Amino acid sequence: MTNSFKVHKHTLLLLGGIVWGFAGFNILRIGLLVYDPYVSIINILLSILVYAAFQFMVFGKMVRKHTARITQYEEDQQFFMKFFDIKAFCIMAFMIIFGVSLRYSGWVPEVFIAVFYTGLGASLATAGVLFIINYIKECREARYNGEL
């Protein structure tokens, strides 16, 4: 592997943040674009419930797991795609395929897309932001310790 494909291990956190942030904001945007006719207290509460479920049961754990894995790498320079492991890339591919299929299949009503995509997108975007916060923290700590 040539060095042109390697980045500092902390940069992997930034890349993870960009990927999940981009995905999250895009899904959030899709949900919000169709939400207007379905705005109600119940639907907003359901979106918050979807957000909380994904944040606390899936994406929050994922951020912690991948941050720990990345920061424990022995070598400072890592292949740029190592911001996730194979399992995470498979989950991402499944989510994209399932999400696009669900949206365009007509299997679910638009209100579901509005409520679910808004909660899911917000949770994914939060994961992206958390990765970026972890990147900033790791860079500050590395600078403080004279590692950068």
Side-chain angles (χ1 to χ4, degrees), residues 33-104:
L33 284 173
V34 298
Y35 215 116
D36 195 42
Y38 308 107
V39 173
S40 70
I41 296 297
I42 295 293
N43 287 342
I44 291 170
L45 290 173
L46 287 172
S47 290
I48 292 169
L49 182 65
V50 169
Y51 169 84
F54 276 97
Q55 192 56 41
F56 295 109
M57 295 173 28
V58 181
F59 300 122
K61 289 180 181 180
M62 178 198 68
V63 169
R64 287 188 297 277
K65 173 188 158 196
H66 288 292
T67 298
R69 177 182 53 79
I70 288 166
T71 57
Q72 291 173 6
Y73 284 142
E74 293 289 324
E75 294 180 28
D76 282 341
Q77 297 295 310
Q78 295 291 325
F79 181 57
F80 78 98
M81 294 289 288
K82 287 179 78 174
F83 58 90
F84 291 137
D85 56 15
I86 295 295
K87 181 181 174 185
F89 279 111
C90 290
I91 289 169
M92 183 184 293
F94 171 79
M95 286 175 56
I96 291 168
I97 292 167
F98 184 72
V100 170
S101 299
L102 193 64
R103 185 166 164 229
Y104 290 109

